[in-house]
Amino acid sequence: MHNKSVAELSRELESGQVSSVELTQEFLDRIKREDSKYNSFITVTEEQALADARVADEQRAAGNATPWTGVPFAHKDIFCTNGVRTTCGSKMLENFVPPYDATVTANFRQAGAVCLGKTNMDEFAMGSSNENSFFGAVTNPWGLSEGNKRVPGGSSGGSAAAVAARLVPAATATDTGGSIRQPAALCGVTGLKPTYGRVSRYGMIAFASSLDQGGTMARTAEDNALMLNVMAGFDPKDSTSLDREVPDYTATLNEPLKGLKIGLPKEYFSDQLSPAMEQQIRNAVKEYEKLGATVKEVSLPNAKLAIAAYYVIAPAEASANLSRFDGVRYGYRCEDPKDLMDLYTRSRAEGFGAEVKRRILVGTYALSAGYFDAYYLKAQKVRRLIQQDFINAFKEVDVLMSPTTPSPAFIQGEKTSDPVTMYLEDVFTIAINLAGVPAMSVPAGFVDGLPVGLQIIGDYFSEARLLNAAHQFQQVTDWHQREPQ
C-alpha cells in the first residue's frame, strides 16, 4: 500500500478493498521501522491517527465520504494543530501545544483525512537544507550512504523526505523562497507553491508574511491537485487571503497540451547551471514539444536581483514576526531570570538557533533608522520590477519552465559554514515568491543518481494549468514513480 498514490488509496478505500485503520497502521508501522534513517518526523500522533481512521471508516460505511476520507498524510510542523505539539523546528517552541487549528489543518480534518504526525523542518522555515532544525538534520532518502549523506532541501525537507521514502503518500508544506519546490526537486517528488493568498496563512507560524505560502507535496500532480482542492479558498481569518472562486483542480488534468506556449527564461539557463542539469531540463522540455507545446526564449531581466532583494525583505519581516517570542507569553523561557531584560535576552539567545539569529540581526539592521530607505524600501522597489518581468513574460507565453535548483542534492555539512553559498541554492525559486505567482517542481530525471526537478511557473491563479501540464508530463514519463533504494 505504501507505494500507492493518494488517488489510488482513495479509490481502494471507496471500494472497500482496505480500511482506513489498516492503511493507517501500515504507514505508522513503516514510520516506526524506517524513519530513524531519515529523521523526517518530529512528532508521530499514533493514537490520534488510529482514532481518526476509525471515524473515517464509519463515515465511509455511512456513505458520507470525501476523496480524502481515511487517507493518511502528514503536516509540516509549522501548521498549528489543536492539542498536538507544534514546534516549527525550534527549541523556542519545543513544548508549544496550540489551542486551535490552522485553517489548513481544519480543512483536512473536515475532509476526513488522517494526520499521522508533524514533519521536520528548518527552524522557523529558515534554510535550504533542513540542517537548521533543533530536532536534527533530515537525510535525503536518495543519499543515505555513510560519509556521503545528502540534504533533502529546505525548509520543507521533512515533508519531502517522508513522501520520497513512502512514509506518507502526501504532506503539507510551505514556501517562502523555494521551500516546497527545492526539497521536492532534491527528493524526486512533486510540489506546488500556489499563488500568494490562495491558501490561508491563519495558524501557519509566520516567517516572512508577504512571502509565506502554504502548499502541497506528493508523488504525483494528481495528488497535488487533490490536496489543493482541500487547502485553497478564502479565509476571513487571514487578511491576505484572496476571495476568489476555487475551481476543481482535478477537472482539467487530462486536457491536451496542444498549443501550450512555453517560455524558457534565458537568465535561468546560465553558468550557474551545470551542463548535466541543463541537459535533463531540455530533455523534459522536448517531451512537452512532443505533446504539442511550442517553446520560445523569454527574458526576466531583473531576476539577477532577486536574491539580494529577498535577503533584505525576508529577514526584515522575520525580525518583526519573531519579536513575539520573548519568553513572556508562550514558548521557551530561560531559567531564573534576574530581571525583565535578562528574561528577554537569554530566552531569545537560548531559544533561537544560529540561522534564525542571523536573519533577525540582518532584518533589524535593514529596518533601523537611517537604513530603512537604503535597504528595505529599495528592495521593495526591486521586487516590483521583478513582478513586472513576470507580468510581461506571461503576455507572450502560458507557462515558464526552468530548473528548480542549480545542482542535485549536496552532501550534509558541505555548505553550512558559508551562508551565502547556501542562499544561492534558491537562485531559481526566489523571484517567484517575490512576484507572488504560482510554481511547481516536477521530477524530470537524474544526475549522478540524484533527482532533478523541472520548475513550471504560471501566471496568477493558473494552478490548474500548471497541474495539467505536470500531469500530462507524468503520463509520458516515469521519473515521479522512481523509488529510492
Side-chain angles (χ1 to χ4, degrees), residues 36-163:
S36 59
K37 292 184 286 192
Y38 316 116
N39 194 33
S40 64
F41 278 85
I42 290 174
T43 303
V44 178
T45 52
E46 183 171 3
E47 285 184 25
Q48 185 65 54
L50 289 169
D52 290 346
R54 286 190 284 273
V55 171
D57 283 335
E58 290 168 9
Q59 289 176 326
R60 289 264 180 201
N64 183 26
T66 76
W68 274 96
T69 302
V71 177
F73 79 111
H75 276 304
K76 182 178 179 178
D77 203 18
I78 197 170
F79 291 100
C80 286
T81 41
N82 190 0
V84 177
R85 184 173 71 142
T86 301
T87 71
C88 217
S90 179
K91 181 179 181 180
M92 183 62 80
L93 293 175
E94 182 182 7
N95 299 306
F96 174 61
V97 178
Y100 69 99
D101 274 335
T103 297
V104 165
T105 308
N107 288 354
F108 274 103
R109 204 186 293 279
Q110 191 174 353
V114 177
C115 180
L116 302 182
K118 312 292 289 290
T119 59
N120 205 343
M121 56 179 285
D122 280 304
E123 184 181 8
F124 284 101
M126 298 182 195
S128 304
S129 64
N130 223 136
E131 295 172 285
N132 295 332
S133 171
F134 174 68
F135 300 92
V138 177
T139 302
N140 191 325
W142 290 95
L144 291 172
S145 56
E146 205 56 50
N148 195 35
K149 288 186 176 180
R150 302 279 170 165
V151 302
S155 64
S156 308
S159 291
V163 172

Side-chain angles (χ1 to χ4, degrees), residues 182-203:
Q182 190 241 20
L186 300 191
C187 290
V189 300
T190 306
L192 169 68
K193 181 207 89 74
T195 303
Y196 180 77
R198 200 34 143 169
V199 172
S200 171
R201 292 190 301 110
Y202 177 76

Side-chain angles (χ1 to χ4, degrees), residues 197-268:
R198 200 34 143 169
V199 172
S200 171
R201 292 190 301 110
Y202 177 76
M204 189 179 100
I205 297 169
F207 160 19
S209 302
S210 74
L211 299 162
D212 298 342
Q213 185 57 205
T216 60
M217 193 91 77
R219 279 167 47 215
T220 69
E222 182 181 19
D223 287 357
N224 278 260
L226 287 166
M227 291 186 78
L228 197 57
N229 278 349
V230 174
M231 294 174 74
F234 175 66
D235 180 12
K237 295 175 184 171
D238 174 8
S239 62
T240 60
S241 176
L242 297 166
D243 191 0
R244 188 177 171 120
E245 187 180 346
V246 179
D248 175 359
Y249 291 105
T250 61
T252 54
L253 289 176
N254 293 312
E255 288 189 359
L257 297 185
K258 188 168 177 59
L260 181 76
K261 290 181 279 187
I262 296 171
L264 302 182
K266 64 181 181 182
E267 291 80 8
Y268 286 1

Side-chain angles (χ1 to χ4, degrees), residues 140 142 184-189 277 405 407-409 443-453:
N140 191 325
W142 290 95
L186 300 191
C187 290
V189 300
M277 287 284 290
T405 60
S407 61
F446 289 83
V447 168
D448 299 328
L450 297 166
V452 171

Side-chain angles (χ1 to χ4, degrees), residues 236-442:
K237 295 175 184 171
D238 174 8
S239 62
T240 60
S241 176
L242 297 166
D243 191 0
R244 188 177 171 120
E245 187 180 346
V246 179
D248 175 359
Y249 291 105
T250 61
T252 54
L253 289 176
N254 293 312
E255 288 189 359
L257 297 185
K258 188 168 177 59
L260 181 76
K261 290 181 279 187
I262 296 171
L264 302 182
K266 64 181 181 182
E267 291 80 8
Y268 286 1
F269 292 84
S270 62
D271 295 341
Q272 291 169 300
L273 187 63
S274 73
M277 287 284 290
E278 180 171 352
Q279 189 58 53
Q280 291 298 323
I281 299 305
R282 294 201 181 274
N283 289 345
V285 172
K286 283 176 186 171
E287 291 295 337
Y288 278 99
E289 290 182 295
K290 292 178 192 172
L291 291 168
T294 58
V295 179
K296 67 177 289 188
E297 186 180 83
V298 297
S299 179
L300 300 172
N302 294 293
K304 63 183 181 295
L305 304 174
I307 285 185
Y310 176 88
Y311 281 104
V312 171
I313 294 168
E317 295 184 7
S319 165
N321 278 324
L322 271 61
S323 64
R324 70 193 66 170
F325 301 109
D326 55 11
V328 175
R329 287 156 291 191
Y330 58 91
Y332 176 79
R333 178 182 289 183
C334 68
E335 294 286 332
D336 302 319
K338 294 173 188 157
D339 53 31
L340 188 60
M341 185 55 71
D342 188 46
L343 169 70
Y344 287 157
T345 54
R346 281 206 292 127
S347 294
R348 289 169 68 81
E350 295 167 18
F352 289 136
E355 182 60 29
V356 174
K357 290 175 186 172
R358 184 180 294 119
R359 297 199 194 193
I360 289 172
L361 288 168
V362 169
T364 304
Y365 180 83
L367 291 176
S368 59
Y371 297 102
F372 181 89
D373 288 355
Y375 292 104
Y376 186 74
L377 193 62
K378 179 71 76 175
Q380 290 288 20
K381 290 177 179 179
V382 170
R383 179 182 194 170
R384 186 66 185 86
L385 296 175
I386 291 168
Q387 182 187 34
Q388 192 61 49
D389 285 349
F390 283 99
I391 292 169
N392 293 341
F394 289 122
K395 289 175 183 174
E396 299 179 47
V397 296
D398 299 317
V399 297
L400 301 172
M401 290 187 182
S402 76
T404 308
T405 60
S407 61
F410 50 92
I411 295 168
Q412 286 180 349
E414 186 180 323
K415 302 188 179 186
T416 49
S417 62
D418 186 352
V420 175
T421 303
M422 185 75 82
Y423 296 164
L424 290 172
E425 285 301 305
D426 297 326
V427 65
F428 300 138
T429 56
I430 277 177
I432 286 89
N433 296 81
L434 291 169
V437 295
M440 65 188 298
S441 182
V442 182

